Amino acid sequence: MNDFFIKVKQQESQSLPFVLYKKPGDVKVVGYFQKNDHLYFAESFEEAGFIFAPFEGSQKILIPYEQSVKWSTLVASGEETRDSDFAQTENNENQEHFESLVQKGIDAIGADVFKKVVVSRKEIIDLTNFDLVSVFERLIRSYPNAFCYCWFHPKIGLWMGATPERLLKSDNKKFSTMALAGTQKNQYSAEVTWEKKEMEEQQLVTDFILNNLEDLTSEVSISSPYALKAGALLHIKTDIEGILNDNSNLKQVISVLHPTPAVCGLPKQEAKSFIFENEGYDREYYTGFLGELNKEGFNKNSLKSDLYVNLRCMKIMDNQAHLFMGCGITKDSNPRLEWEESVNKSMTMKRVLQEEDRKGKTKEVREQR
């Protein structure tokens, strides 16, 4: 274990806040180790630090750069993980409940309540022999093309993830974002075919972003949709970039983008109301966002932020892993296929827990609702 991860262990043992992260395609892991256990918040989005924001609510937590010590280390590049033989432990009751939730969403779309909604579920896995450092090392090896992170605050908890989706990257007035939707298993073939449902879902996300950025930007351009590999899954991605108006700022853009139709639905408020009334659990920081906020905040002429949507993530507490999975529902959705998609998405975190499972066998998997 190198000095970087010894520092992580020391910070963990002292119960002090920290974040570790590795950007897509990078070989450097960055760590910010807060020097006290105070709970800081980002309010104006002019602060400099690592932000960790929830799906809903004002608790946008900040690990301030000026209150932290920065460390970094290089890691060996890895290859995207393929499917494994990890045991599928979901039961019929969990499946029936989720398929019923999906059908409620389809029925609401049929009644013109909204065009799309993203419904999710949570599994709780009891763990033995969980080791933060070894799991994080497997995470960054398994998903080199994702934004991988481990975030801890004693007053909030421990979260880890490997997300494929960027919310926003900005450099002063220049910005880039993405529309990401549609999911299928990666068959590792040269040609990828998408169904009408996935194409329409992705177009809804693209249109939402473009329409809502119109009043804040002076220039916007988009790419053609293409397939994005995310471990054993594929998604449809459209790149969007542009320039903000002189009177627009980062906080306004984030408020427009978050939560996107890719994690909530469209129209936003109607979909969000459905989620709160029907999911039956608190998403907390799942489908929130996280990342570098005003990374070079000491230099007001070079304000750079790089934020990601908190997908493919888990919360660790009391020797349990809380896993979160969501699916975008449109009028053409099939409840059984959406269930299977959620199972595929659960594998992202289950794979990195395999070694713990082999060492001490995970004792139980259940779903909270």
Side-chain angles (χ1 to χ4, degrees), residues 7 11 17-19 30-35 63-72:
K7 175 64 176 175
Q11 194 84 354
F18 65 88
V19 62
V30 177
Y32 283 93
F33 302 92
Q34 194 171 305
K35 293 178 281 189
I63 294 182
Y65 293 152
E66 62 181 15
Q67 299 293 337
S68 304
V69 176
K70 178 183 178 181
W71 287 48
S72 64

Side-chain angles (χ1 to χ4, degrees), residues 276-292:
F276 293 151
E277 292 168 9
N278 293 281
E279 276 191 347
Y281 82 100
D282 184 359
R283 289 189 181 187
E284 300 179 78
Y285 293 88
Y286 165 62
T287 61
F289 62 91
L290 71 163
E292 300 166 332

Side-chain angles (χ1 to χ4, degrees), residues 36-239:
N36 57 54
D37 66 354
H38 187 71
L39 205 54
Y40 297 95
F41 298 98
E43 297 175 356
S44 67
F45 285 78
E46 295 178 357
E47 302 90 351
F50 191 97
I51 191 172
F52 196 65
F55 170 66
E56 174 71 6
S58 59
Q59 277 206 323
K60 298 174 177 63
I61 300 167
L62 189 76
I63 294 182
Y65 293 152
E66 62 181 15
Q67 299 293 337
S68 304
V69 176
K70 178 183 178 181
W71 287 48
S72 64
T73 188
L74 298 179
V75 294
S77 58
E79 294 185 1
E80 289 281 4
T81 299
R82 294 197 177 202
D83 286 336
S84 67
D85 296 325
F86 192 90
Q88 294 297 312
T89 49
E90 293 85 353
N91 59 43
N92 290 334
E93 183 182 354
N94 295 343
Q95 181 174 347
E96 289 171 5
H97 177 266
F98 189 70
E99 289 184 9
S100 174
L101 176 61
V102 171
Q103 188 60 55
K104 281 185 182 179
I106 296 171
D107 293 342
I109 293 169
D112 291 327
V113 177
F114 39 67
K115 294 181 181 179
K116 173 188 175 179
V117 67
V118 179
V119 297
S120 69
R121 63 187 180 94
K122 177 169 78 168
E123 286 183 22
I124 301 176
I125 303 178
D126 292 329
L127 300 172
T128 57
N129 300 314
F130 175 82
D131 180 74
L132 181 157
V133 168
S134 62
V135 171
F136 182 70
E137 287 182 314
R138 277 200 303 282
L139 191 72
I140 59 180
R141 285 199 307 269
S142 300
Y143 301 105
N145 296 320
F147 180 84
C148 298
Y149 78 92
C150 175
W151 184 96
F152 172 73
H153 197 294
K155 298 174 183 176
I156 302 297
L158 171 65
W159 287 73
M160 304 178 76
T163 176
E165 184 171 354
R166 173 178 271 138
L167 177 69
L168 177 74
K169 184 176 184 180
S170 66
D171 184 350
N172 292 324
K173 291 295 181 179
K174 295 180 181 178
F175 75 91
S176 60
T177 183
M178 66 170 69
L180 191 73
T183 302
Q184 65 174 265
K185 291 189 73 172
N186 189 353
Q187 304 298 334
Y188 301 95
S189 59
E191 283 196 26
V192 179
T193 302
W194 293 97
E195 300 294 332
K196 178 184 175 184
K197 181 259 179 187
E198 282 81 16
M199 295 294 292
E200 289 183 348
E201 181 185 352
Q202 205 273 344
Q203 191 62 50
L204 283 174
V205 177
T206 303
D207 292 344
F208 167 86
I209 293 173
L210 293 176
N211 291 339
N212 283 274
L213 286 176
E214 187 174 4
D215 292 339
L216 300 176
T217 57
S218 60
E219 182 181 320
V220 175
S221 61
I222 68 171
S223 71
S224 298
Y226 62 95
L228 171 72
K229 291 192 292 184
L233 299 178
L234 294 172
H235 306 287
I236 310 174
K237 178 182 178 183
T238 298
D239 295 315

